[in-house]
Amino acid sequence: MKKKLILTILALFIAEITWAQIPVCITDAWNYLRNNSYIPAKKKIDECFPANKQNADVWLMRANVYYFFYDWETQRIAKDKEQGKVYVRRYADAIDTANKSFAMALALNKDVKPQSGMYSPVEGQIACGKSMYDLGEQARNEKKYEVAYNYFAIAAKDWELTKNTKSYDPKLMGIVYLDLAELANLLKQNADYKKYTNAAVATNTDDPTPYLWMYDIYRQANDTANCAKMINLCLKNVPAEKQMNVNGYRLDYYGLVGDIAKMTEVVDSIILQYSDNVGIISMVAGHLVNHRQYEKAEALLNKALEKAPDNFDLNYQMGFRFYSEFLDHKEAGEKLLNENKISEVRAEQLIQKECMEKAYPWISKAYKIKSDDIQTNRMLYQMSLMLGEEVPAGLKEKIDSYIIEK
């Protein structure tokens, strides 16, 4: 009996000590919040906070007060806007303060518990993620890219707390990671660009973009194994109606590894599916030309040009087809010249001229359709000089401007 009495007294003593550790101002702030009195709640926690910076409960209440204060002002802004009024936030950084305070509360005491109706540290950070993302979108729309990047990074960190829970949303995570990757690329933060693109891929998103971005990264590193992996993941996770852009990457991959037979097989399947799509035909022809499949590219382009004779891309690609063959023979001629095989050099020069003459009318027509394409203009200027053709008015000035810009 005496033992039980001692334990009871000890328990009450511990409870009193624990209660004494929680400042009264927490209860005051909580009561204000429960009554939707956000300004007094903020005032009370601001008074309480400076003397209690080592108290997890104070940090947690501060986090909740600032979160609900920000949310209340957000609703006020929307309501006033509907009525033609403008409400200016009293404390624009409230949501950032809330987010950091939730994290600090958890850092000080992983077992800290919220007052009734309030957010726990983890719940609070997850809730803050939505506002952080919205602020990121706003900053991006205003072209404040570094600010947007930082907000998106906070949103991603907040939402990552949902991993291994029922509330985890892979689609949402894919979106924020892709936003971060896009901005990292814009800000030339290459390591983060790869990091967040890879993170987007890991969500198994149905958006083809991150898979293709990672393909480009791996291609630059000549990592063909991972190039193939990205294409296969894309084909696996992305619906067929979103896979149009994947086709070009498939062609690039098979050309990269030298599997021309497989590339030709893919070309035939693409053409069968997109025979009336001029853009797809042009893209396919470009890949064929890049891998010296000149005759097949020419046949595709001729067929497409029957339906769209004035299409810039088709005319350009046909010109580029012959121009690329010209470059092949030019390279061969230079090699023969180094070997002092003069008669063979002359033969190559004749073929070069023939290729140039075939390319010229197509590039000339492409120029007439669209005169501001740099590659077209450079090719036309070179061809005009080599073939003794009249240089179109204004073309030399454009070429000179490219040199100055460079």
Side-chain angles (χ1 to χ4, degrees), residues 56-133:
D57 293 287
V58 172
W59 278 97
L60 185 55
M61 181 53 66
R62 181 178 189 246
N64 275 282
V65 167
Y66 274 73
Y67 174 84
F68 287 110
F69 181 83
Y70 183 87
D71 185 60
W72 167 68
E73 287 206 308
T74 300
Q75 295 179 47
R76 176 72 182 273
I77 289 169
K79 184 178 179 180
D80 281 10
K81 187 176 180 180
E82 290 177 359
Q83 299 174 358
K85 302 176 184 177
V86 177
Y87 178 85
V88 179
R89 288 188 186 277
R90 296 177 181 225
Y91 184 36
D93 293 333
I95 193 65
D96 186 53
T97 299
N99 196 79
K100 290 175 180 176
S101 297
F102 279 123
M104 190 62 182
L106 191 63
L108 288 172
N109 181 4
K110 64 183 179 62
D111 296 318
V112 65
K113 303 296 181 185
Q115 299 292 326
S116 176
M118 302 292 105
Y119 283 124
S120 71
V122 171
E123 292 170 339
Q125 288 177 82
I126 293 169
C128 286
K130 173 65 169 61
S131 296
M132 291 299 182
Y133 185 83

Coordinates of all heavy atoms in Angstrom, one line a residue, residues 56-133:
A56 N 10.4 22.8 -27.2 CA 9.8 22.2 -28.5 C 8.3 22.6 -28.5 O 7.8 22.8 -29.6 CB 10.0 20.7 -28.5
D57 N 7.6 22.6 -27.4 CA 6.2 22.9 -27.4 C 5.9 24.3 -27.9 O 5.0 24.6 -28.6 CB 5.6 22.7 -26.0 CG 5.7 21.3 -25.5 OD1 4.8 20.5 -26.0 OD2 6.5 20.9 -24.7
V58 N 6.8 25.2 -27.5 CA 6.6 26.6 -27.9 C 6.9 26.7 -29.4 O 6.1 27.4 -30.1 CB 7.6 27.6 -27.2 CG1 7.6 29.0 -27.8 CG2 7.2 27.6 -25.7
W59 N 7.9 26.1 -29.9 CA 8.2 26.1 -31.4 C 7.0 25.5 -32.1 O 6.6 26.0 -33.2 CB 9.4 25.2 -31.7 CG 10.7 26.0 -31.5 CD1 11.5 25.9 -30.4 CD2 11.3 26.9 -32.4 NE1 12.6 26.7 -30.6 CE2 12.5 27.3 -31.8 CE3 11.0 27.3 -33.7 CZ2 13.4 28.2 -32.4 CZ3 11.9 28.2 -34.3 CH2 13.0 28.6 -33.7
L60 N 6.4 24.4 -31.6 CA 5.3 23.8 -32.3 C 4.0 24.7 -32.3 O 3.3 24.8 -33.3 CB 4.9 22.4 -31.6 CG 3.9 21.6 -32.3 CD1 4.2 21.4 -33.8 CD2 3.7 20.3 -31.5
M61 N 3.8 25.3 -31.1 CA 2.6 26.3 -31.1 C 2.9 27.4 -32.0 O 2.0 27.9 -32.7 CB 2.4 26.7 -29.7 CG 1.1 27.7 -29.6 SD -0.4 27.0 -30.3 CE -0.7 25.6 -29.3
R62 N 4.1 27.9 -32.0 CA 4.5 29.0 -32.9 C 4.3 28.6 -34.4 O 3.7 29.4 -35.2 CB 6.0 29.4 -32.7 CG 6.5 30.6 -33.6 CD 7.9 30.8 -33.2 NE 8.4 32.0 -33.9 CZ 9.4 32.1 -34.8 NH1 9.9 30.9 -35.2 NH2 9.8 33.2 -35.3
A63 N 4.6 27.4 -34.7 CA 4.5 26.9 -36.1 C 3.0 26.9 -36.5 O 2.6 27.3 -37.6 CB 5.0 25.5 -36.2
N64 N 2.1 26.4 -35.6 CA 0.7 26.3 -35.8 C 0.1 27.7 -36.0 O -0.7 28.0 -36.9 CB 0.0 25.5 -34.8 CG 0.0 24.0 -35.0 OD1 -0.7 23.5 -35.8 ND2 0.9 23.3 -34.3
V65 N 0.5 28.6 -35.1 CA -0.1 30.0 -35.1 C 0.3 30.6 -36.4 O -0.6 31.2 -37.1 CB 0.5 30.8 -33.9 CG1 0.2 32.3 -34.2 CG2 -0.1 30.3 -32.6
Y66 N 1.5 30.5 -36.8 CA 2.0 31.2 -38.1 C 1.3 30.5 -39.3 O 1.0 31.2 -40.3 CB 3.5 31.2 -38.2 CG 4.1 32.4 -37.5 CD1 4.2 32.4 -36.1 CD2 4.6 33.4 -38.2 CE1 4.7 33.5 -35.5 CE2 5.2 34.5 -37.6 CZ 5.2 34.6 -36.2 OH 5.8 35.7 -35.6
Y67 N 1.2 29.2 -39.2 CA 0.5 28.5 -40.4 C -0.9 29.0 -40.5 O -1.4 29.3 -41.6 CB 0.5 27.0 -40.1 CG -0.2 26.2 -41.2 CD1 0.3 25.9 -42.4 CD2 -1.6 25.9 -41.0 CE1 -0.4 25.3 -43.4 CE2 -2.3 25.3 -42.0 CZ -1.7 25.0 -43.2 OH -2.4 24.4 -44.2
F68 N -1.7 28.9 -39.4 CA -3.1 29.3 -39.5 C -3.3 30.8 -39.8 O -4.2 31.2 -40.4 CB -3.8 28.9 -38.2 CG -4.1 27.4 -38.2 CD1 -3.4 26.6 -37.2 CD2 -5.0 26.8 -39.0 CE1 -3.6 25.3 -37.2 CE2 -5.2 25.4 -39.0 CZ -4.5 24.6 -38.1
F69 N -2.3 31.6 -39.3 CA -2.3 33.0 -39.6 C -2.2 33.3 -41.1 O -2.9 34.1 -41.7 CB -1.2 33.7 -38.8 CG -1.2 35.2 -39.0 CD1 -2.0 36.1 -38.3 CD2 -0.3 35.8 -40.0 CE1 -2.0 37.5 -38.5 CE2 -0.3 37.2 -40.2 CZ -1.1 38.0 -39.4
Y70 N -1.2 32.5 -41.7 CA -1.0 32.7 -43.1 C -2.2 32.2 -43.9 O -2.6 32.8 -44.9 CB 0.3 31.9 -43.5 CG 0.7 32.0 -45.0 CD1 1.5 33.0 -45.4 CD2 0.2 31.1 -45.9 CE1 1.8 33.2 -46.8 CE2 0.5 31.2 -47.3 CZ 1.3 32.3 -47.7 OH 1.7 32.4 -49.0
D71 N -2.7 31.1 -43.5 CA -3.9 30.5 -44.2 C -5.1 31.5 -44.1 O -5.8 31.6 -45.1 CB -4.3 29.2 -43.6 CG -5.4 28.4 -44.3 OD1 -5.2 28.2 -45.5 OD2 -6.4 28.2 -43.7
W72 N -5.3 32.1 -43.0 CA -6.4 33.0 -42.8 C -6.2 34.2 -43.7 O -7.1 34.7 -44.4 CB -6.4 33.5 -41.3 CG -7.3 34.7 -41.1 CD1 -8.6 34.8 -41.2 CD2 -6.8 36.0 -40.8 NE1 -9.1 36.1 -41.0 CE2 -8.0 36.9 -40.7 CE3 -5.6 36.6 -40.5 CZ2 -7.9 38.2 -40.4 CZ3 -5.5 37.9 -40.2 CH2 -6.7 38.7 -40.1
E73 N -4.9 34.7 -43.8 CA -4.7 35.9 -44.7 C -4.9 35.5 -46.2 O -5.3 36.3 -47.0 CB -3.3 36.4 -44.4 CG -3.1 37.2 -43.1 CD -2.0 38.2 -43.2 OE1 -0.9 37.8 -43.6 OE2 -2.3 39.4 -42.8
T74 N -4.5 34.3 -46.5 CA -4.7 33.8 -47.9 C -6.1 33.8 -48.3 O -6.5 34.3 -49.4 CB -4.1 32.4 -48.0 OG1 -2.7 32.4 -47.7 CG2 -4.3 31.9 -49.5
Q75 N -7.0 33.3 -47.4 CA -8.4 33.3 -47.6 C -9.0 34.7 -47.7 O -9.9 35.1 -48.5 CB -9.1 32.5 -46.5 CG -8.8 31.0 -46.5 CD -9.5 30.3 -45.4 OE1 -10.7 30.4 -45.2 NE2 -8.8 29.5 -44.7
R76 N -8.4 35.6 -46.8 CA -8.8 37.0 -46.8 C -8.5 37.7 -48.1 O -9.3 38.5 -48.6 CB -8.2 37.7 -45.6 CG -8.4 39.2 -45.5 CD -9.8 39.5 -45.0 NE -10.1 40.9 -45.0 CZ -9.7 41.7 -43.9 NH1 -9.2 41.2 -42.9 NH2 -10.0 43.0 -44.0
I77 N -7.3 37.4 -48.7 CA -6.9 38.0 -49.9 C -7.9 37.6 -51.0 O -8.3 38.4 -51.8 CB -5.5 37.5 -50.3 CG1 -4.5 38.2 -49.3 CG2 -5.1 37.9 -51.7 CD1 -3.1 37.7 -49.4
A78 N -8.2 36.3 -51.1 CA -9.1 35.8 -52.1 C -10.5 36.4 -52.0 O -11.1 36.8 -53.0 CB -9.2 34.2 -52.0
K79 N -11.0 36.5 -50.7 CA -12.3 37.0 -50.5 C -12.4 38.5 -50.9 O -13.4 39.0 -51.5 CB -12.7 36.9 -49.0 CG -14.1 37.3 -48.7 CD -14.4 37.0 -47.2 CE -15.8 37.5 -46.8 NZ -16.1 37.3 -45.4
D80 N -11.4 39.3 -50.5 CA -11.4 40.7 -50.8 C -11.2 40.9 -52.3 O -11.8 41.9 -52.9 CB -10.2 41.4 -50.1 CG -10.6 41.7 -48.6 OD1 -11.6 41.2 -48.2 OD2 -9.8 42.4 -47.9
K81 N -10.5 40.0 -53.0 CA -10.3 40.2 -54.4 C -11.7 40.0 -55.2 O -11.9 40.7 -56.1 CB -9.3 39.1 -54.9 CG -9.0 39.3 -56.4 CD -7.9 38.3 -56.8 CE -7.5 38.4 -58.2 NZ -6.5 37.4 -58.7
E82 N -12.5 39.1 -54.7 CA -13.8 38.9 -55.3 C -14.7 40.2 -55.1 O -15.6 40.4 -55.9 CB -14.5 37.7 -54.6 CG -13.9 36.4 -55.0 CD -14.6 35.2 -54.2 OE1 -15.5 35.5 -53.4 OE2 -14.2 34.1 -54.4
Q83 N -14.4 40.9 -54.1 CA -15.2 42.1 -53.8 C -14.5 43.4 -54.3 O -14.9 44.5 -54.0 CB -15.4 42.3 -52.3 CG -16.2 41.1 -51.7 CD -16.3 41.2 -50.1 OE1 -15.7 42.1 -49.5 NE2 -17.0 40.3 -49.5
G84 N -13.5 43.2 -55.1 CA -12.8 44.3 -55.7 C -11.8 45.0 -54.8 O -11.5 46.2 -55.0
K85 N -11.5 44.4 -53.7 CA -10.6 45.0 -52.7 C -9.3 44.4 -52.7 O -9.1 43.3 -53.3 CB -11.2 44.8 -51.2 CG -12.6 45.4 -51.1 CD -13.1 45.1 -49.7 CE -14.6 45.5 -49.4 NZ -15.1 45.2 -48.1
V86 N -8.3 45.1 -52.1 CA -6.9 44.5 -52.0 C -6.5 44.4 -50.6 O -6.5 45.4 -49.8 CB -6.0 45.5 -52.8 CG1 -4.5 44.9 -52.6 CG2 -6.3 45.5 -54.3
Y87 N -6.2 43.2 -50.2 CA -5.7 43.0 -48.8 C -4.2 42.7 -48.9 O -3.8 41.9 -49.6 CB -6.4 41.8 -48.2 CG -5.9 41.5 -46.8 CD1 -6.4 42.1 -45.7 CD2 -4.9 40.5 -46.5 CE1 -6.0 41.9 -44.4 CE2 -4.4 40.3 -45.3 CZ -5.0 41.0 -44.2 OH -4.5 40.7 -42.9
V88 N -3.4 43.4 -48.1 CA -2.0 43.3 -48.1 C -1.6 42.5 -46.8 O -2.0 42.8 -45.7 CB -1.3 44.6 -48.0 CG1 0.2 44.4 -48.0 CG2 -1.7 45.5 -49.3
R89 N -0.8 41.4 -47.0 CA -0.4 40.6 -45.9 C 0.3 41.4 -44.8 O 1.2 42.2 -45.2 CB 0.5 39.5 -46.4 CG -0.2 38.4 -47.2 CD 0.8 37.2 -47.4 NE 0.2 36.2 -48.3 CZ -0.6 35.2 -47.9 NH1 -0.9 35.1 -46.6 NH2 -1.1 34.4 -48.8
R90 N 0.0 41.1 -43.6 CA 0.8 41.7 -42.5 C 2.2 41.1 -42.3 O 3.1 41.8 -41.9 CB 0.0 41.6 -41.2 CG -1.4 42.3 -41.2 CD -2.1 42.0 -39.9 NE -3.4 42.6 -39.9 CZ -3.9 43.3 -38.9 NH1 -3.2 43.5 -37.8 NH2 -5.1 43.8 -39.0
Y91 N 2.3 39.8 -42.6 CA 3.5 39.2 -42.5 C 3.7 38.1 -43.6 O 3.2 37.0 -43.5 CB 3.6 38.5 -41.1 CG 5.0 37.9 -40.8 CD1 6.2 38.4 -41.3 CD2 5.0 36.7 -40.1 CE1 7.4 37.8 -41.0 CE2 6.3 36.1 -39.8 CZ 7.4 36.7 -40.3 OH 8.6 36.1 -40.0
A92 N 4.3 38.6 -44.7 CA 4.4 37.7 -45.9 C 5.2 36.4 -45.7 O 5.0 35.4 -46.4 CB 5.0 38.5 -47.0
D93 N 6.1 36.4 -44.7 CA 7.0 35.3 -44.5 C 6.4 34.3 -43.4 O 7.1 33.4 -43.0 CB 8.4 35.7 -44.0 CG 9.1 36.4 -45.1 OD1 8.9 36.2 -46.3 OD2 10.0 37.3 -44.7
A94 N 5.1 34.5 -43.1 CA 4.5 33.6 -42.1 C 4.6 32.1 -42.4 O 4.9 31.3 -41.5 CB 3.1 34.0 -41.9
I95 N 4.4 31.8 -43.7 CA 4.4 30.3 -44.0 C 5.8 29.8 -43.9 O 6.0 28.6 -43.5 CB 3.8 30.1 -45.4 CG1 3.5 28.6 -45.6 CG2 4.6 30.6 -46.5 CD1 2.4 28.0 -44.6
D96 N 6.8 30.6 -44.2 CA 8.2 30.1 -44.1 C 8.6 30.0 -42.7 O 9.2 29.0 -42.3 CB 9.1 31.2 -44.8 CG 10.5 30.7 -44.9 OD1 10.8 29.6 -45.3 OD2 11.4 31.4 -44.4
T97 N 8.1 30.9 -41.8 CA 8.4 30.8 -40.4 C 7.7 29.6 -39.8 O 8.3 28.8 -39.0 CB 7.8 32.1 -39.7 OG1 8.5 33.2 -40.2 CG2 8.0 32.0 -38.2
A98 N 6.5 29.3 -40.3 CA 5.7 28.1 -39.8 C 6.5 26.9 -40.2 O 6.7 26.0 -39.3 CB 4.3 28.1 -40.4
N99 N 6.9 26.8 -41.4 CA 7.6 25.6 -41.9 C 8.9 25.3 -41.1 O 9.1 24.2 -40.6 CB 7.9 25.7 -43.4 CG 8.3 24.4 -44.0 OD1 7.4 23.6 -44.4 ND2 9.6 24.2 -44.2
K100 N 9.6 26.3 -40.9 CA 10.9 26.2 -40.1 C 10.6 25.9 -38.7 O 11.4 25.1 -38.0 CB 11.7 27.5 -40.2 CG 12.3 27.7 -41.6 CD 13.0 29.0 -41.7 CE 13.6 29.3 -43.1 NZ 14.2 30.6 -43.2
S101 N 9.6 26.4 -38.1 CA 9.2 26.2 -36.7 C 8.8 24.7 -36.5 O 9.1 24.1 -35.5 CB 8.2 27.1 -36.3 OG 8.6 28.5 -36.3
F102 N 8.0 24.2 -37.5 CA 7.6 22.8 -37.4 C 8.8 21.9 -37.3 O 8.9 21.0 -36.5 CB 6.7 22.4 -38.6 CG 5.3 22.8 -38.4 CD1 4.7 23.6 -39.4 CD2 4.5 22.3 -37.4 CE1 3.3 23.9 -39.3 CE2 3.2 22.7 -37.2 CZ 2.6 23.5 -38.2
A103 N 9.8 22.2 -38.2 CA 11.0 21.4 -38.3 C 11.8 21.5 -37.0 O 12.4 20.5 -36.5 CB 11.8 21.8 -39.5
M104 N 11.9 22.7 -36.5 CA 12.7 22.9 -35.2 C 12.1 22.2 -34.0 O 12.8 21.7 -33.2 CB 12.8 24.5 -35.0 CG 13.8 24.8 -33.9 SD 15.4 24.3 -34.3 CE 16.3 24.8 -32.8
A105 N 10.7 22.2 -34.0 CA 10.1 21.5 -32.9 C 10.4 20.1 -32.9 O 10.7 19.5 -31.8 CB 8.5 21.7 -33.0
L106 N 10.5 19.5 -34.1 CA 10.8 18.1 -34.2 C 12.3 17.8 -33.8 O 12.6 16.8 -33.2 CB 10.5 17.6 -35.6 CG 10.6 16.1 -35.9 CD1 9.5 15.4 -35.1 CD2 10.4 15.8 -37.4
A107 N 13.1 18.8 -34.2 CA 14.5 18.6 -33.9 C 14.8 18.7 -32.4 O 15.7 18.0 -31.9 CB 15.3 19.7 -34.7
L108 N 14.1 19.5 -31.7 CA 14.3 19.6 -30.3 C 13.7 18.5 -29.5 O 14.2 18.1 -28.5 CB 13.6 21.0 -29.8 CG 14.3 22.3 -30.2 CD1 13.5 23.5 -29.8 CD2 15.7 22.3 -29.5
N109 N 12.6 17.9 -30.0 CA 11.9 16.8 -29.3 C 11.1 16.0 -30.3 O 10.1 16.4 -30.8 CB 11.0 17.3 -28.2 CG 10.3 16.2 -27.4 OD1 10.6 15.0 -27.7 ND2 9.5 16.6 -26.5
K110 N 11.6 14.8 -30.7 CA 11.0 14.0 -31.7 C 9.6 13.5 -31.2 O 8.8 13.0 -32.0 CB 11.8 12.9 -32.1 CG 12.1 11.9 -31.0 CD 13.1 10.8 -31.5 CE 13.4 9.8 -30.4 NZ 12.3 9.0 -29.9
D111 N 9.4 13.6 -29.9 CA 8.1 13.1 -29.3 C 7.1 14.2 -29.0 O 6.1 14.0 -28.3 CB 8.4 12.3 -28.1 CG 9.2 11.0 -28.4 OD1 8.9 10.4 -29.4 OD2 10.1 10.7 -27.6
V112 N 7.4 15.4 -29.4 CA 6.6 16.6 -29.0 C 5.2 16.4 -29.6 O 5.0 15.9 -30.7 CB 7.2 17.9 -29.5 CG1 7.2 18.0 -31.0 CG2 6.4 19.1 -28.9
K113 N 4.2 16.7 -28.8 CA 2.8 16.4 -29.2 C 2.0 17.8 -29.4 O 2.2 18.7 -28.6 CB 2.0 15.6 -28.2 CG 2.7 14.2 -27.9 CD 2.6 13.3 -29.1 CE 3.3 12.0 -28.8 NZ 3.4 11.1 -30.0
P114 N 1.2 17.9 -30.4 CA 0.5 19.2 -30.6 C -0.7 19.3 -29.6 O -1.2 18.3 -29.1 CB 0.0 19.0 -32.0 CG -0.2 17.6 -32.2 CD 0.9 16.9 -31.4
Q115 N -1.2 20.5 -29.4 CA -2.5 20.7 -28.7 C -3.6 20.2 -29.6 O -3.4 20.1 -30.8 CB -2.6 22.2 -28.4 CG -1.6 22.8 -27.5 CD -1.6 22.3 -26.1 OE1 -2.7 22.0 -25.6 NE2 -0.4 22.1 -25.5
S116 N -4.7 19.9 -29.0 CA -5.9 19.4 -29.7 C -6.2 20.4 -30.9 O -6.3 21.6 -30.7 CB -7.1 19.3 -28.8 OG -8.2 18.9 -29.5
G117 N -6.4 19.8 -32.1 CA -6.8 20.6 -33.2 C -5.6 21.2 -34.0 O -5.8 21.9 -35.0
M118 N -4.4 21.0 -33.5 CA -3.2 21.5 -34.1 C -2.5 20.5 -34.9 O -2.7 19.3 -34.8 CB -2.3 22.1 -33.0 CG -2.9 23.2 -32.2 SD -3.3 24.8 -33.0 CE -5.1 24.6 -33.2
Y119 N -1.6 20.9 -35.7 CA -0.7 20.0 -36.5 C 0.5 19.5 -35.7 O 1.1 20.3 -35.0 CB -0.2 20.7 -37.8 CG -1.2 20.9 -38.9 CD1 -1.5 22.1 -39.4 CD2 -1.8 19.7 -39.4 CE1 -2.4 22.3 -40.5 CE2 -2.8 19.9 -40.5 CZ -3.0 21.1 -41.0 OH -3.9 21.3 -42.0
S120 N 0.8 18.3 -35.9 CA 2.1 17.8 -35.4 C 3.2 18.3 -36.3 O 2.9 18.9 -37.4 CB 2.1 16.2 -35.5 OG 2.2 15.8 -36.8
P121 N 4.5 18.2 -35.9 CA 5.6 18.7 -36.7 C 5.6 18.2 -38.1 O 5.8 18.9 -39.1 CB 6.8 18.3 -35.9 CG 6.4 18.2 -34.5 CD 5.0 17.7 -34.6
V122 N 5.4 16.9 -38.3 CA 5.4 16.3 -39.6 C 4.2 16.7 -40.4 O 4.3 17.1 -41.6 CB 5.5 14.8 -39.6 CG1 5.3 14.1 -40.9 CG2 6.8 14.3 -39.0
E123 N 3.0 16.6 -39.8 CA 1.8 17.0 -40.5 C 1.8 18.5 -40.9 O 1.4 18.9 -42.0 CB 0.6 16.9 -39.5 CG 0.2 15.4 -39.2 CD -0.8 15.3 -38.1 OE1 -1.0 16.3 -37.3 OE2 -1.5 14.3 -38.0
G124 N 2.4 19.3 -40.1 CA 2.5 20.8 -40.4 C 3.4 21.0 -41.6 O 3.1 21.8 -42.4
Q125 N 4.6 20.4 -41.6 CA 5.5 20.6 -42.8 C 4.8 20.1 -44.1 O 4.9 20.8 -45.1 CB 6.8 19.8 -42.5 CG 7.7 20.4 -41.5 CD 8.9 19.6 -41.2 OE1 9.9 19.8 -42.0 NE2 8.9 18.8 -40.2
I126 N 4.1 19.0 -44.0 CA 3.4 18.5 -45.2 C 2.4 19.5 -45.7 O 2.2 19.8 -46.9 CB 2.8 17.1 -44.9 CG1 3.9 16.1 -44.7 CG2 1.9 16.7 -46.1 CD1 3.3 14.8 -44.2
A127 N 1.6 20.1 -44.7 CA 0.6 21.1 -45.0 C 1.3 22.3 -45.6 O 0.7 23.0 -46.5 CB -0.2 21.4 -43.8
C128 N 2.4 22.7 -45.1 CA 3.1 23.9 -45.6 C 3.6 23.7 -47.1 O 3.7 24.7 -47.8 CB 4.4 24.2 -44.8 SG 4.0 24.9 -43.1
G129 N 3.8 22.5 -47.5 CA 4.2 22.2 -48.8 C 3.4 22.8 -49.9 O 3.9 23.3 -50.9
K130 N 2.1 22.8 -49.7 CA 1.2 23.4 -50.8 C 1.4 24.9 -50.9 O 1.5 25.3 -52.1 CB -0.3 23.1 -50.4 CG -1.3 23.8 -51.3 CD -1.3 23.2 -52.7 CE -2.5 23.6 -53.5 NZ -2.6 25.1 -53.7
S131 N 1.5 25.6 -49.9 CA 1.8 27.0 -49.9 C 3.1 27.3 -50.5 O 3.3 28.3 -51.3 CB 1.6 27.7 -48.6 OG 0.3 27.5 -48.1
M132 N 4.1 26.5 -50.1 CA 5.5 26.7 -50.7 C 5.5 26.5 -52.2 O 6.1 27.3 -52.9 CB 6.5 25.7 -50.0 CG 6.7 26.0 -48.6 SD 7.4 27.7 -48.3 CE 7.7 27.7 -46.6
Y133 N 4.8 25.5 -52.6 CA 4.7 25.2 -54.1 C 4.0 26.4 -54.8 O 4.4 26.8 -55.9 CB 4.0 23.9 -54.4 CG 4.0 23.6 -55.8 CD1 5.1 22.9 -56.4 CD2 2.9 23.9 -56.7 CE1 5.1 22.6 -57.7 CE2 3.0 23.6 -58.0 CZ 4.1 23.0 -58.6 OH 4.1 22.7 -59.9

